[in-house]
């Protein structure tokens, strides 16, 4: 039983590590890299986020990329810091998955703008999609993790002892 639990825990660690790395790659690097290419081609106004525009102006390409990757790594570290004691495997996996998927969507959208000059999916829609995906993923994750957290079973020996102590017949 303990070996099976350790193997499951190890499997979840690999899943979380893969999702963490994928999130940093897509949400951090690919989105930033395609945004840099897009801003260099069409000007600073091509970036939707005013903070990122200002960062690009003041820090340049390297500072922009470094900030975006570091910010993604810090954001994706949140579930690991919050849930050290509790095992919230599905919730954490959902959280990390949303960043990985949304980073890919944002990078693809930037690439479409870069290649065609036309906005494929509006940035407002990408942000709204991100928020909706996050709410749904966290709710589903919480439901999936609930049986593991709230499982309560008294061992048979303890149950028999309790019945004897209460004078339960049988």
């Amino acid at each position: 039983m303990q070996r099976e639990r350790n193997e499951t825990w190890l499997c979840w660690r690999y899943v979380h590590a893969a999702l963490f790395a994928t999130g940093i790659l897509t949400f951090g690097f690919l989105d930033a890299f395609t945004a840099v290419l897009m801003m260099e081609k069409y000007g600073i106004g091509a970036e939707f986020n005013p903070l990122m525009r200002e960062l690009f102006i003041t820090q340049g390409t390297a500072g922009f990329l470094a900030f975006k990757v570091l910010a993604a790594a810090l954001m994706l570290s949140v579930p690991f810091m919050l849930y050290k004691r509790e095992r919230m495997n599905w919730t954490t996996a959902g959280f990390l998955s949303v960043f990985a998927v949304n980073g890919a969507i944002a990078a693809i959208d930037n690439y479409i703008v870069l290649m065609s000059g036309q906005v494929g999916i509006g940035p407002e829609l990408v942000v709204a999609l991100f928020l909706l995906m996050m709410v749904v993923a966290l709710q589903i994750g919480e439901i999936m993790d609930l049986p593991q957290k709230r499982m309560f079973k008294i061992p048979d020996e303890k149950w028999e002892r309790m019945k004897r102590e209460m004078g339960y017949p049988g």
Side-chain angles (χ1 to χ4, degrees):
M1 177 76 169
Q2 184 65 24
R3 182 175 177 220
E4 184 178 305
R5 185 178 285 169
N6 287 340
E7 288 175 0
T8 302
W9 181 77
L10 189 60
C11 178
W12 275 112
R13 260 186 101 154
Y14 289 137
V15 167
H16 288 139
L19 288 171
F20 182 80
T22 305
I24 291 173
L25 177 68
T26 61
F27 188 77
F29 180 73
L30 288 178
D31 180 33
F33 183 72
T34 56
V36 165
L37 295 175
M38 187 177 63
M39 287 186 285
E40 287 176 349
K41 184 174 182 178
Y42 294 109
I44 198 72
E47 173 60 38
F48 174 69
N49 187 337
L51 174 67
M52 293 294 128
R53 285 193 300 251
E54 186 65 30
L55 189 67
F56 184 75
I57 291 170
T58 59
Q59 302 301 315
T61 301
F64 180 83
L65 287 170
F67 176 81
K68 185 77 167 148
V69 169
L70 183 63
L74 290 173
M75 281 189 282
L76 294 174
S77 298
V78 168
F80 299 117
M81 291 183 283
L82 290 177
Y83 303 115
K84 280 185 178 179
R85 295 178 192 241
E86 293 182 46
R87 291 215 175 133
M88 300 196 67
N89 296 325
W90 288 101
T91 305
T92 306
F95 179 85
L96 296 171
S97 297
V98 169
F99 277 94
V101 169
N102 200 267
I105 291 170
I108 290 168
D109 193 37
N110 289 345
Y111 186 75
I112 290 171
V113 171
L114 181 65
M115 289 296 130
S116 69
Q118 302 293 321
V119 176
I121 304 171
E124 299 89 358
L125 185 59
V126 172
V127 171
L129 183 64
F130 172 78
L131 294 174
L132 178 65
M133 287 169 52
M134 186 61 72
V135 168
V136 170
L138 292 178
Q139 288 297 317
I140 290 172
E142 190 172 334
I143 291 168
M144 295 295 289
D145 285 330
L146 195 60
Q148 293 176 2
K149 286 193 314 188
R150 304 264 167 99
M151 226 157 66
F152 179 75
K153 182 173 185 324
I154 299 174
D156 292 334
E157 302 84 36
K158 190 173 182 180
W159 179 243
E160 291 300 324
R161 185 175 48 91
M162 286 174 60
K163 287 194 310 186
R164 280 194 310 273
E165 289 173 358
M166 293 186 310
Y168 188 76

